[in-house]
Amino acid sequence: MSSDDRDDFEEVEQDVAPEGPGVGDEPSAAGFVEYGIEDRPPRGESMLLGVQHYLTMIGASVAIPLGLAGAMGMFEAAPGQVGRLIGTFFVVSGIATLAQTTIGNRYPIVQGGTFSMLAPGLAIVGVLAQQGADWQTMLVELQGAVIVAGVVEVLIGYTGVMGKLKRYMGPVVIAPVIALIGLALFNVPQIANPNFAAPGTGQNWWLLGLTMFAIVVFSQYLDKRHRAFKLFPVLLGIAFAWGVAAVLSVTGVFAEGSVSYVALGSVTSAPLLQPIYPFQWGLPQFTPGFIVGMFAGMLASVVESFGDYHSVARIAGRGAPSAKRIDHGIGMEGVGNVFAGIMGTGNGCTSYTENVGAIAITGVASRYVVQIGAAVMILVGYFGPMGELFATIPAPIIGGLYMVMFGQIAAVGLSQLKYVDLDANRNVFIVGFALFAGLAVPEYMSQVGQGLEASGATALQQGLAGVPVLGAVLGTDVVATTLFVVGGTGMVVGGLVAFVLDNTIPGTREERGLSAWAELTEDDEEFVSALDRLRGRGGDRPPVSSDD
């Protein structure tokens, strides 16, 4: 293979169908894919498809910085810096995605801010607020914690820790982890919180329903009528509902400040260009207690990403990721976390579940498309009006999008059970218990501390301190914070339960699906790292027959 063939951005023959390990056994998955991982659609089409990928995760990309900004008091103390913080998330997302898709695991997965690290971030902000710290002090403290957590994740990835654990993780473990990625998000604010935008405004269920209805119609009923409906159902659905909301906002049907209002004035008042650069808020501070909390959030994001990798491979009609690919992916996510800390997002960087859902709905799994979208996001981050335009998408529209995508992700996770003997009681018990625990334990954690002046982590620490014999250990800040963050992340709870039970309850390899799983998993040699490609080993496209 020539050096030109190895370049990520060179042309790839459209008529070469992925035929990696096990793909031949999954014609439905391969047939569903419109563009495979190695495919390169026309440039104009790729730009629209790339923007669509990023529109699916715009809710998180805007909600996370807005949540941090509100907690840090930026709206009152420095309202002009909020848009810059959002822009920083866009820039970091774009650069981290380019790094992951070219140097990391080379899967078409968007990288960006993570809710797993938002919980400890808000806890850190709460402690600093009690000390009277300003928003800049809070941000540099968050930066330091994220950087250290990222360094640890780099070590976890590139030393092969996750790859070694993979041999103990079969379909019985992976299925509930992926399913919970979707199911555990049923109560995100854009769907469940009736007062998401402002007290008393309530949720606009008909606008949420309109968005959901449009995406379902475009992707499931009209996809055979025209190719545009198959490729762009999310983009068309959001644009349609967004346009309706904008018209109703301009005509006064939606009151300013309501959950459905489209604030177009914020777009015209945004600065044309906004400065985003390393250490823009100041040099990072490193506080041990804060680092431990962020470390727990990082571990939760690692488990989520592990599930995302398997989900993308399954949707794209490829074999399950090898240990080598997983290690490179987790290691690169650690690099993304370090970069996020340096740039000052106050949050980490991980694989986006929303992006996985977009692939499942559209069948577009092209790495090139995601890279084009990443370049667009970098430009959007520096171009103030564009970032503000994305920020005007009302929460109910994002909620409608999530309703469709998260359900699709849950179904993809459960489809992994096709390799498992479901007549074996052990398997049914493990999957059911893991799913229920993954929903119940985080719900419990969300209720801890309610009605008390203490935060949830502090209230849990006080309760654990009263445990006989073990209270002296469980009641420490480190242990309590770790348990609170991990226990509040559904896919981690479900994954841990399934992992322990699947590896301790007796069962044959055939019953557990491990034999079929081994046949479907790609060999380490099939993933060619960036270093290997520089040495001339060639790209990691799947093998094709001699006739091709």
Side-chain angles (χ1 to χ4, degrees):
M1 184 178 291
S2 67
S3 60
D4 289 339
D5 290 330
R6 292 192 298 269
D7 191 281
D8 295 327
F9 297 97
E10 289 301 311
E11 290 287 341
V12 175
E13 292 295 331
Q14 299 292 321
D15 60 347
V16 177
E19 296 183 16
V23 175
D25 298 330
E26 299 182 39
S28 60
F32 162 77
V33 176
E34 185 73 16
Y35 289 117
I37 292 177
E38 305 294 337
D39 291 340
R40 179 177 177 174
R43 184 170 301 170
E45 192 173 287
S46 293
M47 290 189 66
L48 289 176
L49 290 169
V51 170
Q52 178 173 249
H53 266 291
Y54 274 90
L55 279 176
T56 63
M57 38 72 73
I58 202 70
S61 293
V62 173
I64 293 175
L66 286 181
L68 284 173
M72 294 186 295
M74 289 183 68
F75 289 105
E76 297 78 20
Q81 300 299 323
V82 176
R84 185 174 163 192
L85 182 62
I86 295 175
T88 303
F89 270 76
F90 288 165
V91 171
V92 169
S93 175
I95 294 176
T97 299
L98 288 177
Q100 185 68 280
T101 55
T102 57
I103 304 174
N105 60 24
R106 294 172 55 78
Y107 274 157
I109 302 183
V110 174
Q111 306 291 292
T114 167
F115 285 105
S116 297
M117 298 175 79
L118 177 62
L122 293 176
I124 292 170
V125 168
V127 173
L128 292 170
Q130 293 177 348
Q131 299 173 359
D134 59 18
W135 65 272
Q136 285 180 294
T137 301
M138 295 176 183
L139 267 176
V140 295
E141 287 282 6
L142 289 173
Q143 284 180 239
V146 169
I147 288 173
V148 175
V151 170
V152 175
E153 187 173 10
V154 170
L155 295 175
I156 290 175
Y158 289 118
T159 57
V161 172
M162 289 302 296
K164 290 182 175 63
L165 287 175
K166 176 179 168 57
R167 71 185 64 178
Y168 303 104
M169 295 184 179
V172 177
V173 179
I174 298 299
V177 169
I178 297 177
L180 284 166
I181 290 173
L183 294 177
L185 296 172
F186 75 94
N187 61 348
V188 293
Q190 292 91 338
I191 295 176
N193 190 345
N195 300 316
F196 174 77
T201 57
Q203 173 65 280
N204 188 335
W205 289 107
W206 74 258
L207 184 58
L208 183 151
L210 179 66
T211 307
M212 182 174 61
F213 175 78
I215 295 175
V216 170
V217 169
F218 291 145
S219 66
Q220 303 300 320
Y221 294 99
L222 299 180
D223 57 322
K224 300 295 190 298
R225 298 293 184 88
H226 195 281
R227 192 162 178 267
F229 295 128
K230 177 176 178 57
L231 293 178
F232 306 106
V234 175
L235 187 62
L236 292 172
I238 290 178
F240 173 67
W242 196 4
V244 170
V247 170
L248 295 179
S249 298
V250 171
T251 56
V253 176
F254 289 157
E256 184 174 357
S258 73
V259 72
S260 308
Y261 186 76
V262 179
L264 296 175
S266 62
V267 179
T268 57
S269 61
L272 187 62
L273 295 175
Q274 51 190 5
I276 297 173
Y277 50 88
F279 306 119
Q280 56 188 321
W281 317 114
L283 294 177
Q285 302 295 314
F286 302 94
T287 302
F290 298 159
I291 291 172
V292 170
M294 199 61 74
F295 173 76
M298 178 273 292
L299 289 179
S301 75
V302 166
V303 176
E304 181 179 0
S305 295
F306 185 87
D308 284 337
Y309 298 167
H310 284 79
S311 184
V312 165
R314 176 81 173 89
I315 294 169
R318 300 285 288 269
S322 63
K324 184 178 179 182
R325 191 186 294 271
I326 291 171
D327 289 336
H328 278 263
I330 297 300
M332 185 51 63
E333 288 195 15
V335 174
N337 272 330
V338 174
F339 179 65
I342 291 173
M343 296 299 290
T345 61
N347 188 257
C349 199
T350 191
S351 297
Y352 261 119
T353 300
E354 293 89 337
N355 164 239
V356 178
I359 295 175
I361 293 173
T362 65
V364 178
S366 167
R367 180 194 303 125
Y368 177 72
V369 164
V370 172
Q371 290 169 335
I372 290 290
V376 171
M377 284 300 283
I378 295 172
L379 295 176
V380 165
Y382 285 103
F383 186 59
M386 188 60 71
E388 288 293 339
L389 179 64
F390 283 156
T392 65
I393 302 178
I397 294 179
I398 301 298
L401 171 66
Y402 284 175
M403 289 279 286
V404 178
M405 290 195 311
F406 292 158
Q408 183 86 358
I409 294 167
V412 168
L414 294 176
S415 71
Q416 306 287 336
L417 295 175
K418 66 183 289 186
Y419 307 112
V420 172
D421 180 7
L422 290 179
D423 289 329
N425 180 66
R426 68 167 316 268
N427 293 334
V428 175
F429 173 79
I430 293 170
V431 173
F433 188 16
L435 286 173
F436 193 85
L439 294 173
V441 175
E443 179 64 20
Y444 171 80
M445 290 297 179
S446 69
Q447 304 295 326
V448 173
Q450 286 197 2
L452 304 176
E453 295 183 0
S455 65
T458 302
L460 181 64
Q461 180 180 356
Q462 294 171 351
L464 291 174
V467 175
V469 183
L470 298 177
V473 176
L474 296 177
T476 61
D477 180 65
V478 173
V479 174
T481 301
T482 302
L483 289 176
F484 182 76
V485 174
V486 170
T489 309
M491 65 285 300
V492 179
V493 174
L496 288 174
V497 169
F499 178 82
V500 172
L501 295 180
D502 190 41
N503 286 282
T504 55
I505 297 178
T508 66
R509 290 183 60 81
E510 287 73 20
E511 283 179 335
R512 298 168 61 190
L514 292 177
S515 298
W517 195 256
E519 295 177 3
L520 291 169
T521 300
E522 63 179 0
D523 295 329
D524 278 345
E525 292 73 20
E526 291 180 48
F527 170 70
V528 184
S529 68
L531 182 60
D532 291 332
R533 294 198 301 277
L534 289 175
R535 291 172 175 171
R537 277 197 55 194
D540 62 336
R541 60 189 296 176
V544 295
S545 66
S546 58
D547 294 336
D548 294 323

